[in-house]
Each structure stands twice: as C-alpha cells, then as structure tokens.
Amino acid sequence: MEFGFGAGDEEFRAEARAWLGAHVGGGLDRRSWERILGKGGWIGLSWGEAGYGNRSASLTQQVVWAEEYARSGAPGRSGHIGENLLAPTLLAHGTDEQRGRFLPPIAAGEELWCQGYSEPGAGSDLAGVSTKAERSADGSYRITGQKIWTSLAHEADWCFVLARTEAGSVRHHGLGFLLVPMDQPGRIEVRPIRQLTGTSEFNEVFFDGAHARAEHLVGGEGAGWTVAMSLLGFERGVSTLAQQIGFARELGRVVQAAVDSGAVADPVVRERLVRQWAELRAMRWNALRTLGSSADAGAASVAKLLWGGWHQRLGELAVLVRGAGAGIGPSDWTPSAPYELDAAQHLFMFSRADTIYGGSDQIQRTIIAERLLGLPREPKGVV
C-alpha cells in the first residue's frame, strides 16, 4: 500500500523543499523558528479554508510538507501542540470568538501552547483529574491543582487545562476545558523535570488560584470530557508519517553502527534489525490506512502501541550493537556537565518513556479492548 501523489503535490513538494532549504539552519531558537514558519505560511495547513492567517493544503500536500520537514533536519516544533491539537479542537468545539482570538496567533507562530491533562494522582487515567476550577463572582474561574509531564510548559504562553468545574463531580462528569494564560506570577509555577537524558522538556505545573476568563471555557459547562476526548483523536494523522521518517533515519544509523562494530555478523542481531525494518513498514501502512479517517475509535491507541514499543526496542538495539563502547560518553565528565550523551545513548534513554507518556501501554490496551473489541469494561476497585 503506497500513498499516491499527483502533479500538484509534487509542485507543492518542490516549493516546500526549496523554502526549507533556504531557511533551515542559522542557530535560531525554537520560538523564532515558529515565527519564521508562520511568516512563510506553513502553520495550519490542515485547518482548511479557515481564514485565520493559515494556508490551506490538501491531505496529500500535508503529507508532503510533513515528509519534507522531517527530511530537512529542521528544528523540533514547539508550536505543535497549538497547531495540531488545540486548533482542530477549537474548530470543532470553540466559539467564533475563541477561534478568532486564538487561531491567528498560532498561525503566525506568536503564541505557544502546552497541555494540562496528566496529574500525579491520576497518571494515564484522565477521568481521575482533581484540579478544580471554581467560579468567581465575576463569572471567571480560579484554578487550583497540579499538572505533571506538561511538555514545553516552560516555553508556553497558554495552557489548555482539564479541570473540575462542578463541585463534587466524579470521573468524566463535571469537567471543563479551559484556556489559561501562563504568565500569572504567584498563581502559576512551572518546575522543569530533569530526565535521564539530562534535558527538561517535561514540567510540573502548579495552579494556585490561576485566573481563566469565562469566555475561555471551550464547549460549555460540563463538556470538558467530550472536548478532551475529541482533542486526543487529533494526536494521530499526518504527523505520524513524518515521525516515521525520523524513525527510519534513526534505524539507518543503528544499522550502520552494527556494521561498523561487527555486531551485524551475529544472526540474532541481524534478525532484530530486519524485524525493526519490517515493523516500521507495517506502521507506515497502518498510518496510511487510517489517514483522514475518524471512524476507527481505537486507531490512535493502536498507533501509539505500535510506535512506542518499536522505538523503545530500537533504543535498546542502538546500544546493543555498540557493545561496551555504548557506556562511554562523547566527552569527559566535568562538574558543570556531569554527563553528555551521544545520539545512540540519548535514543536509548529517552525511549524508555515511550511506552508511558501520551497514555501508557496498559491504558491503550484497555481502550482497544473496550472500544474496538467490545470486551467488558474493566472493573473499578471498591473504595
């Protein structure tokens, strides 16, 4: 199964490749890069003829852009959450005023977003959130609680927060989906979480009476669960194909390392390398099968299970084929830099979390069992 591109798509590819070739590089920080993408009209391609400063592109052209972006070696996107998660959610559930306020700055690369879903006591159980949003006399909300594993919160201007707007509500009832400005000193505190890799993409976020305006509640009172589930459905799609291009590049480096170290002579190693290649092809076919379709309720969970485990196994292979040398860093230890990692070591360390973040494997299997296979719902423990 291969994806078909027409003449117009190839013209679009040439335009994208030329633009990326002229603009990638130069040591720009990620926020500046978002503004350059916005000025070039490359943000919001999937929004359709929305009229919010975005360029409209067909589904095949979106695939072309994602592929060319991955191949160009362009920086990782810090605007992904706003463009690919919040924007489609506002287009589906937001008011005209909300769309008019928030989509143009996303399209311009001017405002960055983070996602306030996970909590320490809820883990991957999104219905277990306890963060509260209480109405004030003026109709606005005051938010109190803690979110964790909040990607790029230290860079974000705004956060969409799932919180309990109805006192005494439980599980998926009484939730609200609120748009919250992050610049609230004394009311919002962001604490970076240092990871195995030494970097801090994830954060803890503490809300202590943080303010959210009444008109920034998306979908209305009590609709938070519906809106949140709709947003999670946007996490798959075109970006999955671009992700796989990056995976293929990583696999190529692991194969080369196996050749260089002589590990490829081991038949077990060869079998594992071939299996990684075959599974990557299967992931591409699955992504193409579900591309543009919203009918498969478990497609996102299947995709997450496939790529999370695959990438983790690739990280294990990356250090296995290096042998004992995989335990040696690229530079000597210093007090200011306790350790540094090369690409293979970083892949191994970071991929340990692939089967946890974005919904753990256990949660994804439960979703598949209940929503796709129609098995009985998992019993809840007696409190």
Side-chain angles (χ1 to χ4, degrees):
M1 182 189 303
E2 290 296 334
F3 204 70
F5 297 107
D9 298 323
E10 295 307 327
E11 292 176 5
F12 188 83
R13 185 185 301 278
E15 179 188 358
R17 185 173 294 177
W19 189 90
L20 287 164
H23 291 85
V24 171
L28 291 169
D29 65 79
R30 298 205 297 184
R31 183 176 285 271
S32 298
W33 175 243
E34 288 296 320
R35 294 192 179 106
I36 290 173
L37 286 172
K39 188 175 181 180
W42 297 106
I43 299 177
L45 300 181
S46 66
W47 301 354
E49 299 290 346
Y52 296 110
N54 62 302
R55 173 201 308 223
S56 178
S58 68
L59 186 60
T60 50
Q61 288 172 339
Q62 294 168 43
V63 174
V64 165
W65 167 252
E67 291 182 339
E68 291 304 317
Y69 191 93
R71 290 190 178 108
S72 73
R77 292 287 310 281
S78 56
H80 159 74
I81 295 173
E83 178 187 5
N84 298 316
L85 298 183
L86 177 67
T89 302
L90 290 182
L91 288 169
H93 300 282
T95 63
D96 288 340
E97 290 74 16
Q98 289 168 349
R99 291 189 284 265
R101 163 60 185 87
F102 293 108
L103 295 188
I106 294 174
E110 294 291 342
E111 290 184 348
L112 303 180
W113 286 79
C114 61
Q115 175 175 293
Y117 273 18
S118 297
E119 296 184 4
S124 293
D125 181 14
L126 190 56
V129 299
S130 59
T131 295
K132 297 178 181 178
E134 299 176 334
R135 292 295 290 264
S136 299
D138 61 1
S140 64
Y141 292 88
R142 291 293 183 271
I143 303 170
T144 303
Q146 179 186 357
K147 299 293 182 178
I148 198 168
W149 308 121
T150 310
S151 300
L152 304 178
H154 58 297
E155 299 179 9
D157 304 295
W158 289 79
C159 181
F160 49 88
V161 177
L162 190 65
R164 297 208 168 274
T165 53
E166 181 182 325
S169 63
V170 296
R171 304 301 296 165
H172 57 276
H173 302 288
L175 295 171
F177 187 99
L178 289 157
L179 310 179
V180 183
M182 291 293 286
D183 186 15
Q184 300 191 47
R187 294 179 175 177
I188 297 180
E189 180 184 0
V190 177
R191 299 180 189 173
I193 300 172
R194 185 179 174 89
Q195 298 147 219
L196 284 171
T197 56
T199 56
S200 302
E201 292 91 352
F202 301 121
N203 304 267
E204 294 178 284
V205 181
F206 296 86
F207 299 94
D208 186 8
H211 176 80
R213 294 167 62 175
E215 59 268 32
H216 291 168
L217 176 71
V218 179
E221 288 279 357
W225 181 257
T226 299
V227 176
M229 291 298 99
S230 176
L231 182 143
L232 291 177
F234 297 123
E235 288 191 312
R236 73 178 194 273
V238 170
S239 60
T240 302
L241 292 167
Q243 179 192 53
Q244 292 167 11
I245 292 175
F247 286 172
R249 193 159 47 234
E250 290 177 333
L251 176 58
R253 288 196 290 264
V254 173
V255 171
Q256 187 59 54
V259 172
D260 294 342
S261 68
V264 73
D266 185 335
V268 174
V269 171
R270 289 201 305 274
E271 190 275 337
R272 289 183 63 177
L273 290 170
V274 171
R275 181 176 291 275
Q276 291 289 137
W277 177 87
E279 289 176 350
L280 182 58
R281 296 298 297 174
M283 283 194 288
R284 175 176 173 80
W285 293 332
N286 182 66
L288 293 174
R289 178 183 66 84
T290 60
L291 192 61
S293 172
S294 59
D296 191 342
S301 294
V302 170
K304 176 61 169 60
L305 275 177
L306 288 174
W307 75 253
W310 184 93
H311 201 225
Q312 197 170 86
R313 292 190 296 275
L314 183 68
E316 294 166 358
L317 260 178
V319 294
L320 173 67
V321 301
R322 295 261 303 276
I328 302 173
S331 60
D332 292 337
W333 183 95
T334 65
S336 60
Y339 64 87
E340 292 187 21
L341 304 175
D342 60 29
Q345 293 165 335
H346 186 277
L347 170 61
F348 172 73
M349 293 288 192
F350 191 87
S351 64
R352 306 318 298 165
D354 284 343
T355 53
I356 302 174
Y357 71 81
S360 69
D361 278 11
Q362 291 83 355
I363 292 293
Q364 305 305 335
R365 291 190 178 99
T366 297
I367 292 173
I368 292 169
E370 295 177 358
R371 299 184 187 177
L372 259 67
L373 303 179
L375 297 178
R377 295 186 63 84
E378 183 177 7
K380 303 299 181 183
V382 178
V383 179

